[in-house]
Amino acid sequence: MAAEVISGKDLAREIKEEIAAKVPEYVKEYGRAPHLAVILVGEDPASMSYVKSKGKDAEQVGFRSTTLRLPETTSEEELLEIIAGMNADDELDGVLVQLPLPKHIDEDRVIAAISKEKDVDGFHPLNVAALWQKTECIAPCTPKGVMRMLAKAGINPEGKRAVVIGRSNIVGLPMSKMLLDANATVTVAHSRTKDLPAVTREADILVAAVGRLRFVTADMVKPGAVVIDVGVNRDPADGKLYGDVDYIPVAEKASVITPVPGGVGPMTRACLLENTVECFLRKMNKKN
Ligand code: NAP
């Protein structure tokens, strides 16, 4: 059996085309396009490349895009002041601070300083609370992208056993909550989980968000499972990017799988654009 591959790249392209088609309507109705600002502090190569892609995506769909590159030496106070300025800017709809930040800056403080209404990453404590309370929130992009991929593949999590490996605030935890809200029976596994393969073999839907190269091997997967690979890891052997899943043998056993690259990554970026539109529309509709 060879698994069906859900192409995040293709689905993301569809989403971007839909957004791009609507931007001229927004301009007509509200007088301007959505505007996304991305702040990068320092010169971490992976962060620089993510920030560049986010700016490019925004421009491709016709948004206004601002990228602010700040030196590594930027102080927390300076960054907070810049964020306060962006919060107050009526012509700006989304503010994203690329993580991780340099060690001398308190990430939690910075995230909490972004206006909840402009928090396109969905990391603000009030957006996190809203997700857990099932009230209107900006949902974090990566798990939101995964849910969109499941829907695209016609997979309804209701009644299914879902196992999420990873319990980070940005991926594992919100992922587990979204699967729970979709009526899956969810287990969250982590580094202290005992006999992980026995746990993962129970999964109808297995989401790997670990950050370890080829961590999920075929013996950990139930035949016919849906396997979602969130991980992004560089293999020192060839310098290329791979997921957390040992793709070829797992694809032989799974019914559905997502590739890396071209899977969850592009969907995360597409959902960032969607979140920007959401923030823009909420703001414009509040005004009218
Ligand atoms: P993270 O904060 O480092 O969390 C990793 C999680 O994996 C932790 O909960 C950790 O458990 C768990 N873990 C580590 N070793 C384990 C083991 N041996 N057995 C079981 N669980 C283990 O990472 P993250 O930010 O969630 O990201 C996870 C991966 O997704 C990374 O590769 C990251 O690059 C990728 N990512 C991709 C996208 C995308 O758009 N494609 C977006 C975000 C992140 P403990 O809690 O016990 O430490």
Side-chain angles (χ1 to χ4, degrees):
M1 182 171 63
E4 175 198 340
V5 180
I6 317 178
S7 168
K9 201 171 154 195
D10 291 349
L11 181 53
R13 191 183 308 118
E14 281 173 33
I15 293 171
K16 281 169 74 177
E17 281 168 7
E18 280 167 27
I19 293 174
K22 290 220 173 101
V23 170
E25 293 173 27
Y26 299 146
V27 175
K28 211 165 148 196
E29 191 164 351
Y30 303 109
R32 65 171 180 84
H35 182 187
L36 172 67
V38 179
I39 304 174
L40 171 68
V41 184
E43 291 184 355
D44 173 69
S47 294
M48 282 169 79
S49 131
Y50 290 140
V51 164
K52 197 171 159 197
S53 308
K54 287 167 187 173
K56 204 171 109 196
D57 287 342
E59 278 163 24
Q60 267 176 2
V61 296
F63 289 0
R64 229 184 110 192
S65 159
T66 298
T67 304
L68 196 56
R69 293 181 179 82
L70 301 170
E72 179 87 22
T73 50
T74 306
S75 72
E76 186 175 304
E77 294 314 316
E78 282 169 317
L79 180 57
L80 291 173
E81 221 168 276
I82 289 166
I83 291 171
M86 287 184 168
N87 286 344
D89 184 346
D90 204 33
E91 302 263 299
L92 192 52
D93 309 293
V95 176
L96 183 152
V97 178
Q98 183 66 43
L99 302 177
L101 286 167
K103 294 225 174 335
H104 64 276
I105 300 179
D106 180 344
E107 257 176 30
D108 290 343
R109 202 168 162 219
V110 168
I111 291 168
I114 298 169
S115 152
K116 152 181 166 281
E117 282 76 26
K118 297 188 181 186
D119 170 39
V120 278
D121 252 342
F123 296 163
H124 189 285
L126 291 174
N127 274 319
V128 175
L131 175 70
W132 287 84
Q133 290 182 333
K134 284 212 232 181
T135 53
E136 192 182 77
C137 71
I138 302 291
C141 302
T142 300
K144 182 175 178 172
V146 171
M147 296 308 287
R148 297 289 299 269
M149 290 173 97
L150 291 175
K152 176 72 181 177
I155 297 151
N156 180 358
E158 179 158 333
K160 300 211 166 61
R161 292 290 301 267
V163 175
V164 178
I165 321 176
R167 55 176 167 178
S168 71
N169 286 338
I170 63 168
V171 190
L173 279 186
M175 184 76 256
S176 62
K177 174 62 173 156
M178 287 185 202
L179 286 165
L180 191 59
D181 287 347
N183 296 318
T185 301
V186 183
T187 301
V188 184
H190 46 79
S191 66
R192 314 287 168 88
T193 299
K194 290 220 162 68
D195 197 0
L196 183 64
V199 174
T200 57
R201 274 196 296 267
E202 294 278 306
D204 302 310
I205 299 172
L206 178 60
V207 181
V210 188
R212 289 183 177 222
L213 189 65
R214 300 185 195 99
F215 179 81
V216 176
T217 47
D219 62 303
M220 295 168 74
V221 176
K222 175 171 156 175
V226 172
V227 179
I228 307 288
D229 193 350
V230 179
V232 180
N233 312 288
R234 200 170 288 281
D235 186 345
D238 61 8
K240 292 185 182 162
L241 294 179
Y242 296 92
D244 287 345
V245 174
D246 194 10
Y247 186 82
I248 293 171
V250 171
E252 286 294 313
K253 214 169 170 187
S255 62
V256 174
I257 195 164
T258 65
V260 177
V264 176
M267 285 304 294
T268 298
R269 284 163 51 186
C271 287
L272 173 65
L273 299 174
E274 277 197 344
N275 282 356
T276 306
V277 170
E278 254 179 71
C279 291
F280 168 80
L281 288 177
R282 272 188 212 159
K283 181 161 148 213
M284 292 304 182
N285 291 328
K286 239 186 229 169
K287 275 188 187 170
N288 291 345

